[in-house]
């Protein structure tokens, strides 16, 4: 919390602020318990190639709250990020993904990493220990970092990302286009893939700027040898336009919704033959 001058100015008696703060505290406490009560789940969504073969999956966190039902990560991740809970939650996610890995022969699992996790000195060691503990291989994972976090990264964070890459992790820039999206970052950041935010994909049919933006991005990515993922593909038209613009990976409700591991395994996704090398 802020100190000094700000402190005296805080409107302690504003009931709305108080309740918001109290709500956050409450959610924080419940989230801490959720980790131990096994209320967290990692769901999986397919990432496909142009032929709709599943070439990777993204793990998306869900909180099955006993009273409130399914709570979206968009609601509780920010709460976790404002406390040290994000470290515990982030470690849980990575361990879960490592344990689930054998269900996805021949493909990579992508997980989301918070900017707050990356700020920790211990972050790389924590992931290293989970790999040792589970026997999983770093090169089976893609770590997704949002564009906003990556472009604001300190030299320490960049060094950490480079260490992760040296261990074998792939790095993807998530939600590309929602931040400062300097094209020069693509050249300098240690990354392997870019995920174009759904806001561009949604407008590919109607917005000339979105078309030019995505095409330019895919051309730069090709030169840099990066994978380009189109996020949030909901319609055949969006799929066709994203393909035409040069994207080579696709993710969205059209190609498969995020689902629990058990139902993902029963779904009709075409997975690669296990004996093949990693392809995405
Ligand atoms: P994200 O990483 O950009 O994930 C994509 C989001 O888009 C997911 O929302 C996914 O369910 C949703 N989505 C996928 N296909 C479609 C589509 O065709 N249309 C639309 N409208 N949406 C689609 P979700 O699961 O609610 O996650 C929201 C965000 O929460 C994620 O955005 C990510 O930033 C964060 N998040 C999720 N899991 C984790 C996690 O384990 N750790 C951290 N730090 N953040 C996470
Ligand atoms: Mg993501
Ligand atoms: Mg995204
Ligand atoms: Mg996101």
């Amino acid at each position: 919390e802020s100190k000094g001058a700000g402190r005296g100015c805080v409107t302690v008696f504003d009931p709305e602020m108080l309740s918001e703060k109290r709500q956050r505290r409450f959610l924080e406490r419940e989230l801490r318990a959720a980790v131990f009560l096994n209320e967290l789940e990692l769901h999986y969504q397919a990432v496909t190639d142009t032929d709709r073969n599943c070439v990777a999956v993204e793990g998306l966190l869900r909180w099955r709250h006993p009273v409130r039902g399914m709570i979206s990560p968009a609601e509780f991740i920010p709460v976790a990020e404002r406390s040290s809970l994000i470290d515990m939650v982030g470690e849980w996610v990575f361990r879960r993904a490592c344990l689930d890995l054998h269900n996805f022969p021949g493909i990579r699992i992508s997980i989301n990493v918070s900017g707050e996790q990356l700020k920790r000195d211990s972050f790389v060691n924590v992931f290293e220990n989970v790999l040792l503990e589970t026997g999983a291989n770093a090169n089976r994972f893609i770590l997704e970092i949002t564009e906003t976090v990556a472009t604001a990264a300190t030299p320490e964070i960049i060094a950490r990302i480079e260490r992760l890459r040296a261990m074998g992790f792939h790095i993807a820039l998530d939600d590309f286009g929602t931040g400062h999206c300097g094209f020069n970052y693509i050249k300098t950041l240690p990354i392997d893939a870019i995920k174009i935010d759904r806001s561009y994909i949604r407008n590919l049919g109607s917005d000339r700027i979105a078309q030019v933006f995505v095409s330019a991005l895919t051309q730069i990515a090709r030169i840099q040898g990066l994978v380009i993922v189109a996020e949030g593909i909901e319609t055949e038209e969006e799929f066709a336009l994203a393909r035409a613009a040069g994207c080579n990976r696709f993710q969205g409700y059209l190609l498969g919704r995020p689902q629990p591991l058990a139902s993902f395994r029963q779904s009709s996704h075409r997975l690669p033959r296990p004996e093949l090398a990693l392809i995405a």
Side-chain angles (χ1 to χ4, degrees):
E1 234 69 306
S2 61
K3 289 189 193 113
R7 192 161 177 96
C9 298
V10 170
T11 48
V12 189
F13 297 108
D14 181 336
E16 219 160 57
M17 264 192 66
L18 246 179
S19 79
E20 195 185 292
K21 198 167 177 179
R22 202 177 282 157
Q23 262 177 35
R24 201 172 65 230
R25 288 263 165 77
F26 188 68
L27 202 63
E28 242 175 69
R29 211 161 29 227
E30 285 207 305
L31 184 55
R32 189 180 301 278
V35 177
F36 298 103
L37 295 172
N38 274 319
E39 290 171 9
L40 297 184
E41 298 176 8
L42 198 57
H43 287 200
Y44 292 98
Q45 184 178 31
V47 177
T48 79
D49 64 10
T50 35
D51 298 323
R52 301 187 194 223
N53 300 306
C54 179
V55 294
V57 288
E58 179 174 2
L60 293 159
L61 188 57
R62 300 290 180 263
W63 178 4
R64 198 182 290 275
H65 190 281
V67 177
R68 293 205 273 160
M70 223 39 129
I71 306 180
S72 155
E75 193 179 330
F76 67 84
I77 290 289
V79 173
E81 282 176 336
R82 293 179 71 157
S83 63
S84 57
L85 270 177
I86 192 63
D87 301 312
M88 189 164 66
V89 171
E91 185 178 343
W92 183 91
V93 167
F94 184 49
R95 182 173 290 108
R96 188 68 260 162
C98 288
L99 296 171
D100 291 346
L101 197 55
H102 66 276
N103 293 284
F104 303 104
I107 67 174
R108 288 195 173 91
I109 297 183
S110 211
I111 61 165
N112 296 281
V113 170
S114 157
E116 293 304 312
Q117 284 171 275
L118 278 172
K119 283 182 191 165
R120 314 285 193 240
D121 234 357
S122 58
F123 175 70
V124 179
N125 288 332
V126 169
F127 270 39
E128 216 161 21
N129 287 335
V130 174
L131 289 174
L132 285 173
E133 171 200 323
T134 58
N137 192 331
N139 80 8
R140 297 290 305 280
F141 295 97
I142 303 160
L143 305 182
E144 298 191 5
I145 298 163
T146 61
E147 183 201 21
T148 335
V149 165
T151 54
T154 60
E156 286 78 21
I157 290 179
I158 299 288
R160 230 160 262 150
I161 297 174
E162 273 162 355
R163 267 178 72 199
L164 291 163
R165 265 185 113 208
M167 286 164 67
F169 286 107
H170 279 210
I171 307 292
L173 221 49
D174 202 358
D175 303 335
F176 194 87
T178 58
H180 296 294
C181 64
F183 278 94
N184 53 321
Y185 285 112
I186 298 173
K187 240 167 75 178
T188 54
L189 285 172
I191 56 169
D192 304 279
I194 291 175
K195 303 188 76 168
I196 306 177
D197 193 68
R198 157 147 181 78
S199 52
Y200 291 90
I201 304 305
R202 195 173 35 208
N203 294 326
L204 275 180
S206 56
D207 181 357
R208 188 82 189 105
I209 300 289
Q211 287 166 18
V212 171
F213 177 84
V214 175
S215 297
L217 193 54
T218 59
Q219 287 174 59
I220 294 168
R222 198 166 300 129
I223 295 167
Q224 294 289 115
L226 301 173
V227 166
I228 282 276
V229 189
E231 281 195 297
I233 304 273
E234 290 185 355
T235 66
E236 292 290 348
E237 193 201 3
E238 285 167 0
F239 187 35
L241 288 167
R243 254 190 325 202
C247 298
N248 46 19
R249 297 288 182 267
F250 310 87
Q251 187 178 354
Y253 296 161
L254 176 75
L255 303 155
R257 294 209 167 233
Q259 44 193 328
L261 180 63
S263 32
F264 187 96
R265 281 161 49 93
Q266 284 164 21
S267 66
S268 55
H269 288 301
R270 285 200 301 267
L271 292 166
R273 297 207 312 274
E275 64 273 22
L276 294 180
L278 290 171
I279 52 177

